Amino acid sequence: MNYINIKPRLLVFLLLTSLATVKSFSQHTDVINSNRPGKSMMAFSVGKSVIQVETGIFGIKEEHSLLGYNANGFGLDFTARWGVFKEELEVVAELQYQNDTYQSPIRNYDRSALRTTVFGAKYLLYDPYKYYVEKVNIKSWKANQKFKWRQLIPAVSVFVGANINFSDNPFNYNSRLVEEKISPKILVATQNTFGTRWVLVTNLIYDKFTSDYKNLGGIVTLTHGINQKWSAFLEAQAYSGNLYSDGVFRVGGAYLLNKSMQIDASFSKNIKDTPALTYGGIGFSWRFEKNYKDVLIKTPENYKKDKANKSAKGGKDKEAKELPTKEE
């Protein structure tokens, strides 16, 4: 869940005057930014040397109107994110375990396995606020809150990873067929922040595209910061493939325990009845940031001056004033 701090008007105004010159230079933020409880992936990383864990437990009910079976059980989600080498880069591991009881007119049995296993890396390609100074009107709080066209320009990142398939996985839609042990996954994520309360994240996903079971999908997540502690989200996901296509809607919220811990709850429902799927779950996100160090970025003015100096003096960089990178 992507938190935007909501503070009293006067405090927001004072923060704007101090934060405007350094907005979005750093991937690391003062308050934890978790992808939970939605399924979309945000554009920004956790920050260099930061380790973040996002996990949860869910209950699931599955009913198929044509085949006449039902399945009830629970599952565990686990995601680890680690910022490495650069502020823009993080490596990601995603695991989902499920255990349920399958019942049909023909047979009943228990199922349990790692349903999803994905390893990959995400890199921020573009941040519209990098090297950008937002002018602050020190005389008008209202003027600083008005809509800004730059908010329509999203941050953009790309995730490249691999699905690890276990041959005895009973949850594969094609479990009776031969599927590749390793298949690629590509995801493009965009992120917009509107004012201090709204965040829009979109994902375009192309999964297992080297196999006969390729899947194209998309996710749109809208998050609203209610106050300093609470946030709510609404999410829509659609995917289409050779074996299965569906749409899913999710709603939920999150509560900030402290700047590095968050708890959440969500409810999900798909649009089909072949099968009909209902999920409900709770989760927890935590980050370890002891090893994080502020990254120094040149101010936009000095960045432009240094660029001009390099061109004029054969690439020799001059000393420039730098700022610590801190976001809201």
Side-chain angles (χ1 to χ4, degrees), residues 97-317:
Y97 169 81
Q98 185 169 321
N99 184 306
D100 65 22
T101 299
Y102 178 95
Q103 297 178 321
S104 74
I106 301 176
R107 57 183 300 204
N108 301 333
Y109 60 94
D110 293 329
R111 304 184 296 184
S112 65
L114 276 175
R115 182 163 189 161
T116 304
T117 305
V118 179
F119 297 99
K122 183 182 70 180
Y123 188 81
L124 181 73
L125 299 176
Y126 176 71
D127 179 358
Y129 287 98
K130 192 170 185 178
Y131 305 123
Y132 170 76
V133 174
E134 184 176 299
K135 295 181 179 180
V136 177
N137 187 333
I138 62 174
K139 296 181 180 181
S140 172
W141 183 91
K142 185 176 181 181
N144 292 316
Q145 301 306 303
K146 69 179 182 180
F147 179 80
K148 300 174 180 64
W149 289 104
R150 181 172 285 269
Q151 295 175 359
L152 296 177
I153 305 174
V156 181
S157 67
V158 61
F159 170 86
V160 178
N163 300 280
I164 310 300
N165 175 55
F166 298 97
S167 57
D168 59 347
N169 187 346
F171 299 107
N172 285 342
Y173 289 117
N174 54 320
S175 58
R176 298 180 181 179
L177 305 176
V178 178
E179 187 174 352
E180 295 179 356
K181 297 292 184 183
I182 300 177
S183 58
K185 178 178 182 178
I186 292 180
L187 181 152
V188 176
T190 69
Q191 183 170 334
N192 297 80
T193 301
F194 301 105
T196 59
R197 292 175 180 257
W198 298 92
V199 173
L200 177 68
V201 173
T202 63
N203 288 176
L204 181 62
I205 308 164
Y206 198 20
D207 204 7
K208 302 181 180 180
F209 54 86
T210 61
S211 73
D212 294 332
Y213 317 113
K214 55 181 174 287
N215 186 291
L216 181 64
I219 309 176
V220 178
T221 307
L222 183 63
T223 302
H224 176 58
I226 300 171
N227 54 39
Q228 289 182 324
K229 294 291 186 179
W230 289 96
S231 65
F233 89 103
L234 176 65
E235 183 173 273
Q237 179 177 7
Y239 45 93
S240 177
N242 294 339
L243 291 169
Y244 187 75
S245 300
D246 204 350
V248 182
F249 290 95
R250 302 182 182 93
V251 295
Y255 179 78
L256 194 66
L257 296 172
N258 58 48
K259 70 173 187 176
S260 295
M261 292 185 185
Q262 168 193 296
I263 56 175
D264 63 72
S266 64
F267 175 82
S268 306
K269 187 72 180 72
N270 72 328
I271 61 175
K272 299 180 68 172
D273 60 2
T274 56
L277 301 170
T278 304
Y279 289 81
I282 57 175
F284 175 74
S285 300
W286 168 82
R287 70 177 179 182
F288 176 78
E289 56 177 345
K290 184 178 180 180
N291 297 326
Y292 181 78
K293 295 181 181 179
D294 288 336
V295 178
L296 299 179
I297 300 291
K298 295 174 183 177
T299 63
E301 293 83 358
N302 283 309
Y303 174 77
K304 292 177 181 178
K305 289 178 182 178
D306 285 355
K307 190 173 181 181
N309 287 332
K310 283 183 180 181
S311 300
K313 307 222 173 185
K316 186 176 181 180
D317 193 7

Side-chain angles (χ1 to χ4, degrees), residues 75-95:
L76 298 170
D77 288 315
F78 177 85
T79 299
R81 303 165 60 190
W82 180 23
V84 295
F85 304 125
K86 300 179 66 177
E87 280 288 294
E88 297 85 358
L89 179 65
E90 70 176 25
V91 293
V92 182
E94 295 181 348
L95 306 174

